[in-house]
Amino acid sequence: MNQVTSRESEADLPGEAVLPGALPEALRAELVAFRRDLHMHPELGNQEFRTTAALKARLELAGLEPRVLDTGTGLICDIGDWDGVRPMLALRADIDALPIPDTKADCAYRSTVPDRAHACGHDVHTSVVLGAGLVLAELHREGRLPRPVRLIFQPAEEVLPGGAPDAIESGVLEGVGRIIGVHCDPRVDAGRIGLRHGAITSACDRLEVALDGAGGHTARPHLTTDLVTAAARVATDVPTLVARRTDARSGLAVTWGRIESGHACNVIPNHAELSGTVRCLDLAAWRAAPDLVHAAIDEIANLYRAKSEINYIRGVPPVVNDPAVTDLLRAAMTARRGVHSIEDTEQSLGGEDFSWYLEHVPGAMARLGVRTPGERVPRDLHQGDFDADESAITVGVELFTAAALLDGEPLLEVGLLLDTGV
């Protein structure tokens, strides 16, 4: 593999006189190849041994000293020596894949693992942080990196409550003052990013409910608990009760994905099950959601003399972008590609365990455009045919390296007048 050399050609982009660290063509090609290799060999959460080994080997080849996390997969790597005073900027990538088949036809780098696919773009995120780390390592050797940077390659983002809590427990945030990340967005053209102050994703929890009671013959429902009716009322009434007992602006929503009870048309069963998700736009409402949902389920179950057993599985809180860190990303993208490469983005109902880091340090996530310009029907996330325009890797590297160079600097003093339309 090619090392980053100091003979890189600076990109002809706004801010090139201010910021070094353009992506060399040889490294650009290497990162595309690295991403395709990951895409062909997807690994599920906490099983990313091959991915971890590939990252460790490449970082060590660049003279760095990565450390595998205590969980056995994922790693961190510092560029520069932390002085114990000035906090580091962390660049985070998630490295796991999804348990779905890759359905892309005529794709040379489609998954080689049955029922496994990088259908959420984590292979792109990983390649971006790797590339940024290699560029920043060269800048550090040249004495042009203003402060140390930490790379975080996190496992198990797709496994509730995500791999971030375990990574934090392993000490990945020690010495970190800010953290940034990107997430592929197939609704945004490659070459652009989406930014938003405040919440950019939603909270997502999992809910499992079991109802039990006396069963019997359908000819005598008055002698039974009538579990089917009880389950139906829980399914229809609980979402309404929860919605009416919280501020509508919080977007707290209970949505069922499964309901199951009974085996015969003339037998009232003694057991019923429901499962679904609880999603929420607001952090305060998310924290109150478990008690609210429990109370609503119990209230309906009691009407039918059904005994309820509730398993409320905490997922992730919303990602709430810190305004100052969001502005850092805006300044970084402006320096590399101009203000017209940035668009405002909406808060999504998807969940992301990047949010756990923001419970400890300020940070922000950008939406990385991966749609090929002109493509009419984008390939959505978590679908077997998902793919990304690989030029997005270069954009992500440019964004992260610029953010690392600007972190802690007075943005207007480096000539980044964000309202000039440069």
Side-chain angles (χ1 to χ4, degrees):
M1 294 183 178
N2 295 308
Q3 296 276 6
V4 182
T5 71
S6 60
R7 297 187 300 274
E8 60 194 44
S9 58
E10 299 292 341
D12 184 17
L13 298 169
E16 65 174 337
V18 176
L19 296 177
L23 187 61
E25 186 57 40
L27 180 57
R28 191 191 316 264
E30 179 190 341
L31 293 174
V32 169
F34 191 91
R35 180 257 168 172
R36 292 186 177 189
D37 180 71
L38 294 185
H39 202 84
M40 293 174 66
H41 302 91
E43 297 173 300
L44 299 184
N46 295 316
Q47 301 174 24
E48 312 94 334
F49 297 103
R50 183 184 185 278
T51 302
T52 298
L55 288 165
K56 185 173 183 290
R58 184 61 184 94
L59 292 167
E60 288 176 341
L61 184 62
L64 299 170
E65 299 179 354
R67 175 176 71 83
V68 176
L69 300 183
D70 296 342
T71 53
T73 61
L75 48 82
I76 63 172
C77 183
D78 290 350
I79 300 169
D81 298 321
W82 181 47
D83 59 13
V85 179
R86 296 181 304 166
M88 289 182 284
L89 176 70
L91 317 180
R92 176 268 196 175
D94 38 11
I95 65 175
D96 59 324
L98 286 162
I100 63 175
D102 188 334
T103 60
K104 293 189 295 295
D106 301 323
C107 177
Y109 51 87
R110 65 180 295 181
S111 173
T112 61
V113 184
D115 299 321
R116 302 288 186 268
H118 267 296
C120 198
H122 295 188
D123 51 341
V124 173
H125 308 164
T126 300
S127 301
V128 165
V129 172
L130 174 63
L134 296 175
V135 172
L136 292 172
E138 179 62 24
L139 291 177
H140 173 64
R141 284 188 284 270
E142 296 172 355
R144 295 197 286 174
L145 185 64
R147 64 177 62 194
V149 172
R150 173 166 293 164
L151 313 179
I152 300 176
F153 297 95
Q154 177 216 300
E157 190 275 332
E158 298 287 356
V159 182
L160 288 178
D166 287 337
I168 293 168
E169 184 69 21
S170 294
V172 300
L173 293 182
E174 181 181 353
V176 170
R178 291 174 162 186
I179 187 169
I180 57 176
V182 294
H183 198 294
C184 289
D185 191 335
R187 301 165 303 170
V188 178
D189 282 350
R192 301 173 61 83
I193 65 168
L195 291 176
R196 177 184 175 89
H197 281 188
I200 192 170
T201 71
S202 301
C204 180
D205 299 333
R206 193 164 76 237
L207 179 62
E208 298 172 350
V209 181
L211 300 175
D212 291 284
H217 200 290
T218 57
R220 294 175 288 278
H222 60 290
L223 300 179
T224 73
T225 303
D226 197 359
L227 261 297
V228 172
T229 300
R233 290 297 298 270
V234 167
T236 57
D237 292 356
V238 167
T240 301
L241 279 177
V242 169
R244 290 296 182 270
R245 293 174 179 177
T246 191
D247 191 326
R249 291 171 295 183
S250 71
L252 183 60
V254 177
T255 306
W256 304 104
R258 185 180 72 92
I259 181 170
E260 184 175 342
S261 185
H263 300 283
C265 66
N266 61 346
V267 178
I268 295 175
N270 58 15
H271 182 76
E273 295 180 356
L274 304 92
S275 59
T277 61
V278 180
R279 297 183 185 270
C280 185
L281 302 174
D282 178 73
L283 185 58
W286 176 75
R287 288 172 174 155
D291 290 341
L292 200 62
V293 171
H294 271 261
I297 292 171
D298 286 339
E299 188 173 324
I300 300 302
N302 288 338
L303 287 175
Y304 293 87
R305 303 190 305 274
K307 179 184 177 181
S308 61
E309 183 177 337
I310 303 166
N311 185 19
Y312 193 107
I313 304 164
R314 267 304 197 197
V316 294
V319 173
V320 181
N321 281 350
D322 178 80
V325 184
T326 306
D327 288 344
L328 171 64
L329 291 173
R330 186 177 299 275
M333 193 65 175
T334 299
R336 294 298 195 199
R337 297 196 166 224
V339 294
H340 299 299
S341 63
I342 303 167
E343 60 185 64
D344 294 331
T345 191
E346 299 176 346
Q347 182 180 5
S348 80
L349 284 171
E352 231 291 350
D353 78 347
F354 184 77
S355 55
W356 290 118
Y357 298 109
L358 306 189
E359 297 278 294
H360 300 270
V361 297
M365 173 169 279
R367 300 201 183 282
L368 180 66
V370 296
R371 177 177 63 192
T372 300
E375 186 178 33
R376 292 186 177 182
V377 182
R379 302 181 182 187
D380 204 2
L381 300 171
H382 287 221
Q383 300 298 309
D385 66 346
F386 174 77
D387 204 354
D389 186 316
E390 292 171 320
S391 65
I393 297 173
T394 298
V395 178
V397 172
E398 291 175 349
L399 175 69
F400 278 174
T401 54
L405 292 166
L406 294 175
D407 184 38
E409 298 296 326
L411 299 182
L412 294 182
E413 290 185 11
V414 295
L416 302 178
L417 302 176
L418 303 183
D419 59 350
T420 63
V422 174

